[in-house]
Amino acid sequence: MNLALLFDGMLVVLILAVAVWTVTVRDSFAAGIGYAVYGLLLALAWVRLAAVDAALTEAAIGGGLTSVLMIRATVRLRAGEAAARAATPGPLPRLLAALLGGSVAAGLALVVLALPDPAPTLAPQVAEHIATTGLGNAVTAVLLSFRAIDTLLEAVVLIYALIAVWTLTPDRFWGGRPGPKYETDPNGMLAYLARLLPPIGIVVAVYVLWVGADLPGGKFQAGTLLAAMWLLAIMAGLTEAPPISRRWLRGVLVAGTVVFLAIGFAGVPLAGAFLAYPEGFAKPLIVAIEAASMLSIAFTLALLVLGPPERRDQA
Amino acid sequence: MNVPTLFGLCGAVLVGLGLYGLVVSPQPLRKILAFNLVGSGVFLLFGVVARRGAALGMGGDPVPQALVITGIVVAFSATALAVALVLRLHDMTGAATLAPADADEPPVA
């Protein structure tokens, strides 16, 4: 027990050290790298908190996609880096900010120490009703059955975010391709990895999606993995991002939400409530929603990383 | 001290640290990064609440765990939108910070 606590203590020290470095390091590029390390360390913390589903999501999105997004953006803003650094506030504002951050942290720490014991929990209710869903993974049961409305709205939020990003397109590039055209050495390491990894990544993603019903995993983790594989192929110059005006692309982006909504509304006549599943059909319907959502999530996440179109569709 | 409390304190410090970075970093991207630190600290507190609710053979209360997964994905989409806004601002004005472009004009509060 004490040894485990020692490991956790070291993990917390590492997480905080990397977080301090990410905030204080001079070079923004280094901060982006720091955030990737931070995301992976945080995923370990989630494992220690027995939340493996959240750990997978944090590693894939916090450590992976957010860092790719940040590093790409820092490279593009490099020219303004020196001017921006010169605008760093003086000692007094920094001290006040430290006081603010410190007091909020102290307040939260007091709350953590004063959490009620025994802790309130919904686990018994979940355990009581999980049999009706046919699922073995309680988190998936919450996401797609007990709190399915949250997950549905989240899928909508993702699409709205992508539409908002696309609205930032300059008029002349509307309907064009996001991101620059990546030119890399076709015999280089990046192109090699971009040929080698995607087949493995796709198999792993399908596996993660499938076992998500009973074990940690599911559509978000699988979708993020697919998005990463696609981004790798794009950034290695093996393929190009599609023009955002393509109908097939828009179809794929909304497919997950459309399937989710269709099954949700079908529940009104068949099971008596929106998003209710007819008895005995819960698991196949949930797997269908997850499979359709995985593709939509993968395309949406990758296109969110790539940003608004930057060049005309010349193909 | 037990494991959830330790990570709970870690989450509290992360929120404070992120808040500090949000205020003092002049670069908009660093502000976004700091905001993500605040977010991950809050998620970690959620994880602690979930872990404390462990019961009936489940490692934690699955409801907050599921909400955290939703939260991480939504936080990512908001981050992507914020980054796209910063890049577009930079393309249009060449601005590297969020300071008002005209020094004569009082900053809008």
Side-chain angles (χ1 to χ4, degrees):
Chain A
M1 179 61 209
N2 277 335
L3 200 65
L5 203 60
L6 183 71
F7 172 78
D8 290 324
M10 278 158 50
L11 182 60
V12 165
V13 169
L14 257 180
I15 289 175
L16 292 179
V18 174
V20 168
W21 190 73
T22 304
V23 168
T24 56
V25 68
R26 272 170 63 86
D27 187 21
S28 292
F29 187 76
I33 307 276
Y35 194 78
V37 179
Y38 170 80
L40 293 176
L41 288 173
L42 210 57
L44 282 180
W46 282 108
V47 174
R48 292 297 301 153
L49 288 170
V52 183
D53 290 271
L56 285 170
T57 315
E58 177 65 43
I61 293 192
L65 291 187
T66 307
S67 305
V68 174
L69 184 75
M70 283 295 165
I71 291 168
R72 264 169 55 96
T74 356
V75 171
R76 290 187 47 183
L77 292 182
R78 214 162 220 187
E81 180 73 14
R85 220 179 273 154
T88 305
L92 184 64
R94 283 217 301 270
L95 182 69
L96 289 176
L99 279 177
L100 173 72
S103 44
V104 169
L108 283 174
L110 286 179
V111 172
V112 167
L113 292 173
L115 281 174
D117 205 20
T121 175
L122 291 169
Q125 283 94 320
V126 172
E128 190 182 328
H129 296 289
I130 192 165
T132 61
T133 65
L135 300 172
N137 181 352
V139 175
T140 305
V142 173
L143 276 175
L144 283 151
S145 183
F146 308 140
R147 297 295 308 174
I149 186 92
D150 292 342
T151 312
L152 173 64
L153 291 177
E154 174 199 16
V156 177
V157 165
L158 274 181
I159 294 177
Y160 271 134
L162 186 61
I163 292 173
V165 167
W166 281 357
T167 57
L168 298 170
T169 311
D171 282 349
R172 61 187 188 283
F173 296 140
W174 178 250
R177 293 176 190 269
K181 187 170 167 49
Y182 289 91
E183 308 266 359
T184 55
D185 176 8
N187 297 316
M189 198 60 201
L190 185 61
Y192 174 70
L193 283 178
R195 284 193 195 94
L196 184 72
L197 290 181
I200 303 171
I202 290 168
V203 172
V204 174
V206 172
Y207 173 77
V208 167
L209 177 79
W210 181 249
V211 301
D214 293 317
L215 297 167
K219 64 197 175 102
F220 294 122
Q221 297 87 343
T224 314
L225 200 56
L226 284 184
M229 292 301 124
W230 194 36
L231 285 170
L232 178 64
I234 290 175
M235 290 180 180
L238 295 184
T239 181
E240 279 199 273
I244 64 163
S245 53
R246 290 284 187 274
R247 287 208 184 281
W248 68 262
L249 180 66
R250 297 186 177 186
V252 171
L253 289 175
V254 297
T257 312
V258 168
V259 169
F260 211 149
L261 275 174
I263 292 177
F265 279 113
V268 177
L270 297 178
F274 180 58
L275 281 174
Y277 305 118
E279 210 165 312
F281 287 94
K283 187 171 176 186
L285 288 176
I286 286 174
V287 172
I289 292 173
E290 289 228 283
S293 303
M294 173 181 73
L295 275 184
S296 298
I297 288 171
F299 275 82
T300 312
L301 292 178
L303 288 167
L304 278 172
V305 170
L306 289 171
E310 290 167 29
R311 58 210 164 94
R312 285 211 189 94
D313 172 21
Q314 277 139 355
Chain B
M1 178 177 309
N2 54 12
V3 173
T5 311
L6 181 68
F7 283 109
L9 296 177
C10 177
V13 176
L14 287 174
V15 172
L17 199 61
L19 211 53
Y20 170 79
L22 184 68
V23 176
V24 301
S25 299
Q27 302 98 322
L29 283 180
R30 299 292 290 273
K31 283 189 194 289
I32 297 171
L33 215 52
F35 201 73
N36 269 290
L37 279 186
V38 177
S40 60
V42 173
F43 293 149
L44 203 55
L45 291 177
F46 245 81
V48 169
V49 170
R51 179 73 180 122
R52 287 169 47 86
L56 300 175
M58 291 186 208
D61 185 349
V63 177
Q65 288 184 357
L67 293 184
V68 161
I69 294 177
T70 308
I72 291 175
V73 178
V74 170
F76 168 76
S77 61
T79 305
L81 177 58
V83 168
L85 280 168
V86 168
L87 289 177
R88 186 82 177 109
L89 179 75
H90 179 73
D91 284 348
M92 288 178 74
T93 64
T97 68
L98 296 177
D102 191 351
D104 295 333
E105 267 179 20
V108 183

